[in-house]
Amino acid sequence: MITGELKNKIDGLWDIFAAGGLVNPLDVIEQVTYLMFIRDLDDTDNLRAKESAMLGLPYTSIFAGEVEIGERKIPGEQLKWSVFRDFPAGRMYNVMQEWVFPFIKGLHGDKNSAYSKYMDDAIFKLPTPLLLSKVVDCLDDIYSQMAQLHDSDIRGDVYEYLLSKISQSGRNGQFRTPRHIIRMMVEMMDPRPDDVICEIPTQLLIQFGDSLCA
């Protein structure tokens, strides 16, 4: 459950996008999702590095050394959220547009993978450096607020609240299954490691149900 203060920060994020000229709600959700993914890459990489150090295991960061972006090689460290967030707005904008987005689009290297398929159309749409700077600062505030709540599903709650900003979010193909429903489904199905799971889109289930009732 998200608090009033966290809701206010999310409302503020939405206002920042609107004031910056990005008013299409689907574009806002898309860009926020990409930015959260970029921030999470940094957090996850740092966590794995710490865990590996504690266990005495080797670990190579995805940001280690030089990273090849197109025909250029750049210091991977500059692709980390915790690093470029402190750059001046103009430089941060260039890094995000020219390096970070191409980096996440080719992250797994396999052009035939599901990841590459869905990231192929990823486009950085924030129109100005000032807007990016404000959004980055606001997202950092939101993450700090989420960390204080100690709720394992707070990320889902935040995303659901973002989607509530779209009056017809369901029709736009955005759905989120609450954790307790997920746990119930897993307990009922009791899947084994070698089982194959086939997910049927909700809309198809609705159409199927309608056909049975016709």
Side-chain angles (χ1 to χ4, degrees):
M1 179 68 66
I2 62 177
T3 64
E5 185 175 357
L6 184 52
K7 284 184 178 181
N8 290 337
K9 290 186 181 299
I10 296 171
D11 292 342
L13 176 63
W14 203 267
D15 291 342
I16 288 171
F17 273 103
L22 202 64
V23 295
N24 185 325
L26 292 182
D27 284 341
V28 173
I29 292 294
E30 177 190 66
Q31 295 301 297
V32 169
T33 302
Y34 290 145
L35 291 172
M36 290 177 70
F37 175 72
I38 290 166
R39 194 187 193 285
D40 289 343
L41 275 181
D42 192 0
D43 288 346
T44 302
D45 189 74
N46 292 335
L47 178 61
R48 289 178 177 172
K50 291 178 181 177
E51 291 176 342
S52 298
M54 290 175 59
L55 297 172
L57 299 174
Y59 177 74
T60 301
S61 168
I62 60 173
F63 303 105
E66 292 188 327
V67 176
E68 190 170 336
I69 305 292
E71 298 180 353
R72 300 184 60 182
K73 288 186 177 181
I74 61 172
E77 191 76 10
Q78 295 197 31
L79 303 176
K80 293 172 69 71
W81 180 284
S82 56
V83 173
F84 68 69
R85 70 171 305 280
D86 293 325
F87 290 167
R91 184 183 175 191
M92 177 167 56
Y93 189 85
N94 290 335
V95 167
M96 181 70 77
Q97 185 176 49
E98 298 174 12
W99 296 350
V100 176
F101 257 67
F103 173 68
I104 64 170
K105 290 179 67 171
L107 192 59
H108 291 290
D110 182 1
K111 295 186 179 297
N112 296 317
S113 69
Y115 175 86
S116 295
K117 174 184 175 182
Y118 289 108
M119 289 298 290
D120 187 55
D121 295 330
I123 299 174
F124 178 61
K125 295 181 180 179
L126 274 67
T128 66
L130 180 59
L131 175 58
L132 174 62
S133 180
K134 290 182 177 180
V135 168
V136 165
D137 288 342
C138 189
L139 275 176
D140 276 340
D141 286 343
I142 290 172
Y143 269 78
S144 296
Q145 195 70 34
M146 287 194 296
Q148 295 176 23
L149 296 178
H150 303 292
D151 185 342
S152 61
D153 198 30
I154 188 62
R155 187 74 54 84
D157 291 338
V158 166
Y159 200 71
E160 186 174 51
Y161 184 66
L162 277 169
L163 292 177
S164 72
K165 296 290 187 178
I166 307 175
S167 59
Q168 294 182 324
S169 59
R171 295 186 184 181
N172 284 322
Q174 302 288 342
F175 299 93
R176 176 236 174 186
T177 305
R179 284 290 171 190
H180 66 284
I181 301 296
I182 294 174
R183 286 193 292 268
M184 179 193 72
M185 293 167 63
V186 172
E187 290 175 1
M188 291 177 63
M189 296 301 298
D190 191 21
R192 296 173 302 182
D194 57 346
D195 285 343
V196 176
I197 307 298
C198 177
E199 180 180 6
I200 301 176
T202 305
Q203 188 60 38
L204 290 181
L205 289 175
I206 294 173
Q207 292 174 359
F208 179 68
D210 290 343
S211 67
L212 289 178
C213 296

